[in-house]
């Protein structure tokens, strides 16, 4: 029997980096402010802190997202407005900010977004990564009626979409930070 793509660990692991003409502190202050993510995210439109101190480890942010009909159009994705809950899992001012997405039932998933900041000569390198260690309940729901070929196609198409999103996010953050 062939192993399913959904059994791969990690299922997703991708990222990109960009050079930003700003200090590590300026970049960290921007990317650690979850309310501001709507300024550069391809899906997040708004949100609010629902527990804890904003930006602190353990705090939870409820995001309002939007996905257009043309995003991986052939797959049965959530379209229009949908919500996520994200728990801050690491804060290293001037260096790193990470959060983990919770499932619909509120359980933390092995689905982590992060920003890493590395000072360089006249600015910093900003890296954003996305890692999903095991297939989330959402991925299982999306692919439940797919054969293995379509599951592989979905994972490949979603990976390409995420790579484009991360690159676009970094370009937008660079623009926001360098204008400040």
């Amino acid at each position: 029997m062939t192993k399913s793509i959904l059994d791969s660990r990690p299922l997703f692991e991708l990222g990109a980096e960009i050079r930003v003409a700003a200090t590590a502190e300026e970049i960290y202050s921007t990317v650690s402010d979850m309310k501001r993510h709507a300024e550069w995210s391809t899906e997040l439109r708004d949100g609010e802190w629902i527990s804890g101190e904003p930006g602190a480890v353990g705090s939870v942010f409820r995001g309002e997202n939007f996905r257009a009909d043309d995003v991986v159009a052939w797959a049965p994705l959530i379209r229009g407005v949908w919500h996520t809950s994200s728990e801050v899992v690491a804060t290293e001012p001037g260096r790193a900010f990470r959060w983990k997405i919770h499932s619909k039932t509120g359980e933390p998933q092995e689905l982590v977004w992060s920003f890493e900041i590395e000072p360089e000569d006249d600015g910093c390198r900003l890296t954003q990564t996305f890692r999903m260690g095991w297939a989330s309940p959402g991925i299982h729901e999306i692919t439940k009626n797919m054969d293995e070929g379509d599951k592989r196609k979905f994972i490949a198409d979603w990976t390409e979409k995420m790579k484009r999103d991360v690159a676009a996010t970094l370009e937008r953050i660079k623009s926001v930070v360098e204008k400040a």
Side-chain angles (χ1 to χ4, degrees), residues 138-158:
I139 295 294
H140 283 286
E141 180 65 24
I142 291 164
T143 62
K144 71 182 178 186
N145 295 320
M146 293 181 186
D147 64 25
E148 188 60 29
D150 283 343
K151 288 177 184 176
R152 290 180 181 280
K153 178 176 173 20
F154 172 73
I155 298 302
D157 288 357
W158 195 254

Side-chain angles (χ1 to χ4, degrees), residues 72-177:
V72 189
W74 67 272
L77 298 170
I78 295 172
R79 309 289 175 183
V81 176
W82 50 282
H83 295 90
T84 54
S85 292
S86 303
E87 178 183 351
V88 177
V89 295
T91 59
E92 298 173 45
R95 302 215 19 97
F97 184 74
R98 294 181 199 92
W99 65 98
K100 182 179 281 193
I101 306 295
H102 289 194
S103 70
K104 287 180 183 179
T105 61
E107 297 298 314
Q109 301 177 92
E110 195 175 324
L111 194 160
V112 178
W113 286 95
S114 69
F115 286 109
E116 307 287 332
I117 305 160
E118 175 122 3
E120 294 182 337
D121 293 336
D122 58 346
C124 293
R125 181 176 14 159
L126 175 62
T127 304
Q128 183 180 27
T129 59
F130 169 72
R131 184 178 194 283
M132 181 183 290
W134 42 264
S136 68
I139 295 294
H140 283 286
E141 180 65 24
I142 291 164
T143 62
K144 71 182 178 186
N145 295 320
M146 293 181 186
D147 64 25
E148 188 60 29
D150 283 343
K151 288 177 184 176
R152 290 180 181 280
K153 178 176 173 20
F154 172 73
I155 298 302
D157 288 357
W158 195 254
T159 297
E160 289 307 309
K161 176 246 191 271
M162 295 300 293
K163 286 179 181 178
R164 289 189 304 272
D165 288 355
V166 168
T169 294
L170 289 174
E171 287 290 341
R172 292 171 183 162
I173 291 170
K174 175 182 175 73
S175 178
V176 166
V177 172

